[in-house]
Amino acid sequence: MHLAYPAVLAVLLFCTGLYGVLARRNAILVLMSVELMLNAVNLNLVAFDVWLRDALHAGQALTLFTIAIAAAEIGIGLAIVLMVYRNRGTSDIDKLRDNAETATADETAGTDETAGPDEKAEATA
Protein backbone atom coordinates (compact mmCIF):
# COMPACT_ATOMS: atom_id res chain seq x y z
CA MET A 1 0.00 0.00 0.00
CA HIS A 2 1.29 3.43 -0.88
CA LEU A 3 1.38 6.00 1.89
CA ALA A 4 0.20 8.72 -0.48
CA TYR A 5 -3.42 7.51 -0.70
CA PRO A 6 -4.36 7.75 2.98
CA ALA A 7 -2.22 10.88 3.36
CA VAL A 8 -4.06 12.68 0.56
CA LEU A 9 -7.41 11.57 1.97
CA ALA A 10 -6.39 12.79 5.40
CA VAL A 11 -5.33 16.17 3.98
CA LEU A 12 -8.69 16.50 2.21
CA LEU A 13 -10.57 15.61 5.40
CA PHE A 14 -8.51 18.02 7.46
CA CYS A 15 -8.95 20.86 4.97
CA THR A 16 -12.70 20.25 4.86
CA GLY A 17 -12.84 20.38 8.65
CA LEU A 18 -10.69 23.52 8.76
CA TYR A 19 -12.98 25.22 6.26
CA GLY A 20 -15.98 24.23 8.38
CA VAL A 21 -14.42 25.67 11.54
CA LEU A 22 -13.50 28.95 9.85
CA ALA A 23 -16.60 29.47 7.69
CA ARG A 24 -19.53 28.09 9.67
CA ARG A 25 -21.59 30.14 12.09
CA ASN A 26 -23.55 27.34 13.75
CA ALA A 27 -21.81 25.91 16.81
CA ILE A 28 -22.94 22.34 16.11
CA LEU A 29 -21.48 22.44 12.60
CA VAL A 30 -18.23 23.76 14.06
CA LEU A 31 -18.13 20.78 16.42
CA MET A 32 -18.73 18.42 13.50
CA SER A 33 -15.88 20.08 11.60
CA VAL A 34 -13.56 19.55 14.56
CA GLU A 35 -14.53 15.88 14.49
CA LEU A 36 -13.56 15.73 10.81
CA MET A 37 -10.17 17.17 11.66
CA LEU A 38 -9.66 14.60 14.43
CA ASN A 39 -10.60 11.79 12.05
CA ALA A 40 -7.99 13.02 9.59
CA VAL A 41 -5.41 12.81 12.35
CA ASN A 42 -6.59 9.29 13.20
CA LEU A 43 -6.25 8.23 9.57
CA ASN A 44 -2.69 9.56 9.47
CA LEU A 45 -1.77 7.80 12.71
CA VAL A 46 -2.99 4.42 11.47
CA ALA A 47 -1.47 4.88 8.00
CA PHE A 48 1.95 5.73 9.38
CA ASP A 49 1.70 2.88 11.88
CA VAL A 50 1.11 0.42 9.02
CA TRP A 51 3.78 2.04 6.85
CA LEU A 52 6.47 1.96 9.58
CA ARG A 53 5.50 -1.59 10.69
CA ASP A 54 5.79 -0.61 14.33
CA ALA A 55 5.92 -3.65 16.62
CA LEU A 56 4.13 -1.84 19.44
CA HIS A 57 1.43 -0.38 17.17
CA ALA A 58 1.84 3.04 18.77
CA GLY A 59 -0.17 4.76 16.03
CA GLN A 60 -3.18 2.57 16.69
CA ALA A 61 -2.88 3.10 20.44
CA LEU A 62 -2.76 6.86 19.95
CA THR A 63 -5.79 6.58 17.67
CA LEU A 64 -7.76 4.95 20.50
CA PHE A 65 -6.81 7.82 22.82
CA THR A 66 -7.83 10.33 20.17
CA ILE A 67 -11.20 8.64 19.74
CA ALA A 68 -11.77 8.77 23.50
CA ILE A 69 -10.85 12.46 23.61
CA ALA A 70 -13.14 13.15 20.63
CA ALA A 71 -16.05 11.42 22.37
CA ALA A 72 -15.53 13.47 25.53
CA GLU A 73 -15.14 16.67 23.51
CA ILE A 74 -18.36 16.15 21.58
CA GLY A 75 -20.29 15.26 24.74
CA ILE A 76 -19.16 18.32 26.69
CA GLY A 77 -19.32 20.59 23.63
CA LEU A 78 -22.86 19.55 22.79
CA ALA A 79 -23.95 20.07 26.40
CA ILE A 80 -22.48 23.59 26.36
CA VAL A 81 -24.14 24.40 23.04
CA LEU A 82 -27.52 23.18 24.32
CA MET A 83 -27.25 25.28 27.49
CA VAL A 84 -26.28 28.36 25.48
CA TYR A 85 -29.19 27.73 23.11
CA ARG A 86 -31.61 27.51 26.05
CA ASN A 87 -30.32 30.74 27.59
CA ARG A 88 -29.79 32.85 24.45
CA GLY A 89 -32.17 31.26 21.95
CA THR A 90 -29.53 30.86 19.23
CA SER A 91 -26.48 28.80 18.44
CA ASP A 92 -25.07 31.35 15.97
CA ILE A 93 -21.50 32.07 17.08
CA ASP A 94 -21.44 35.67 15.80
CA LYS A 95 -24.66 36.60 17.63
CA LEU A 96 -23.38 35.06 20.85
CA ARG A 97 -20.20 37.11 20.65
CA ASP A 98 -22.15 40.31 19.91
CA ASN A 99 -24.48 39.70 22.87
CA ALA A 100 -21.54 39.21 25.21
CA GLU A 101 -19.85 42.42 24.07
CA THR A 102 -22.97 44.59 24.37
CA ALA A 103 -23.84 43.17 27.78
CA THR A 104 -20.36 43.97 29.07
CA ALA A 105 -20.48 47.50 27.64
CA ASP A 106 -23.92 48.16 29.19
CA GLU A 107 -22.84 46.91 32.61
CA THR A 108 -19.69 49.03 32.75
CA ALA A 109 -21.36 52.18 31.39
CA GLY A 110 -23.86 52.42 34.25
CA THR A 111 -21.34 51.91 37.07
CA ASP A 112 -18.95 54.76 36.22
CA GLU A 113 -19.25 57.20 39.13
CA THR A 114 -16.59 59.64 37.91
CA ALA A 115 -18.44 60.51 34.71
CA GLY A 116 -20.27 63.80 34.53
CA PRO A 117 -24.01 64.15 33.88
CA ASP A 118 -23.48 64.68 30.14
CA GLU A 119 -21.34 61.55 29.85
CA LYS A 120 -23.89 59.48 31.80
CA ALA A 121 -26.67 60.65 29.48
CA GLU A 122 -24.62 59.66 26.42
CA ALA A 123 -23.84 56.26 27.94
CA THR A 124 -27.50 55.47 28.63
CA ALA A 125 -28.72 56.77 25.23
Side-chain angles (χ1 to χ4, degrees), residues 6-7 9-15 17 33-49 58-67 69-70:
L9 181 61
V11 166
L12 290 174
L13 277 174
F14 192 85
C15 289
S33 298
V34 170
E35 290 295 322
L36 270 177
M37 293 167 64
L38 288 173
N39 284 331
V41 170
N42 287 340
L43 182 61
N44 266 335
L45 284 171
V46 171
F48 277 100
D49 183 53
Q60 293 179 17
L62 286 174
T63 299
L64 290 176
F65 285 119
T66 308
I67 290 171
I69 289 171

Side-chain angles (χ1 to χ4, degrees), residues 33-112:
S33 298
V34 170
E35 290 295 322
L36 270 177
M37 293 167 64
L38 288 173
N39 284 331
V41 170
N42 287 340
L43 182 61
N44 266 335
L45 284 171
V46 171
F48 277 100
D49 183 53
V50 170
W51 185 63
L52 294 174
R53 290 184 170 78
D54 186 17
L56 296 175
H57 298 291
Q60 293 179 17
L62 286 174
T63 299
L64 290 176
F65 285 119
T66 308
I67 290 171
I69 289 171
E73 175 258 334
I74 200 67
I76 292 171
L78 191 58
I80 291 171
V81 168
L82 288 174
M83 289 304 297
V84 167
Y85 183 77
R86 282 186 191 170
N87 290 336
R88 301 281 178 105
T90 184
S91 63
D92 189 2
I93 295 172
D94 290 335
K95 289 181 183 177
L96 295 175
R97 185 181 58 224
D98 292 341
N99 287 342
E101 289 172 357
T102 57
T104 306
D106 291 341
E107 291 172 3
T108 59
T111 59
D112 190 14

